[in-house]
Amino acid sequence: MLPLLVLLPAAITCSFTNTTIISVSASHATLVLEERGTVNISLSSIPDVDVILNITTSADEIIRLDERVVKIEEGKKSISVGFTAGKRGGTVYISTVLVSPSLNMSIADLSLAVVHSQALCTVTDILGWMCFTVWSVSFYPQVYKNWARLSVVGLSFDFLGYNFLGWICYSVFNFSLLWVGEVKREYYRVFPHGVINVQLSDFCFSFHALLITAFTIIQCLCYERRGQTPSILCRLILAVLATSVHEFP
């Protein structure tokens, strides 16, 4: 999918007279070539000193900042920083670093990506939800067949076992890249110009598949199965995968 402009909310704590939270505005939008955008940097309380912030970007050719050093004057709570989309590219990692007061140095992060067309992004979203709908519907004939027969004879228990573990991993993967800030920051640290292509439709699909697979497993426990059980090889593979999954970075 085409990359979207995503302003990741980030909050950091630093001490002035009292504890103050510095944050960047959070929104979800697209930024096309040569389009202008702004990010609002705000404080949770009015400081009694000037606050100097240094703004850096990992790819100046993709995102051109209007200012690299900004000052939130004493008595004010926020400031807007403008930028321009220079050319299409992967995600640009931008850091806002507290320069003064010098007692603390904290970082507020956001990521930006540039696309060719908002219309194409809309099309990819529509196609993503169409894929979610069609693929999700495909799970229900087997569920209905089990209910109609009150039997799961002939259904592969190995298949259900592999699927269940797979959907768990896929759901955790999608959830982490969508909403876990620490995972996103680690991704951009390893791939500074990378693009996280996971969309909400991806998570909804994987989580729905996990739920419907779990329901099918419950059917296997309740309906006639004529002694069917997962194979020894399947149990062994699932045990190894389940116990070693935490070893993967």
Side-chain angles (χ1 to χ4, degrees), residues 171-186:
S171 296
V172 170
F173 170 84
N174 288 332
F175 180 87
S176 300
L177 285 178
L178 275 175
W179 294 301
V180 181
E182 187 62 33
V183 174
K184 289 183 176 182
R185 285 190 288 272
E186 178 66 16

Side-chain angles (χ1 to χ4, degrees), residues 135 138-139 159-174 202-203 205-214:
W135 201 348
S138 70
F139 287 87
F159 172 77
L160 286 178
Y162 296 135
N163 252 4
F164 187 65
L165 180 59
W167 294 131
I168 289 176
C169 294
Y170 190 31
S171 296
V172 170
F173 170 84
N174 288 332
D202 297 320
F203 172 75
F205 166 72
S206 60
F207 190 64
H208 170 267
L210 174 62
L211 294 179
I212 199 69
T213 302

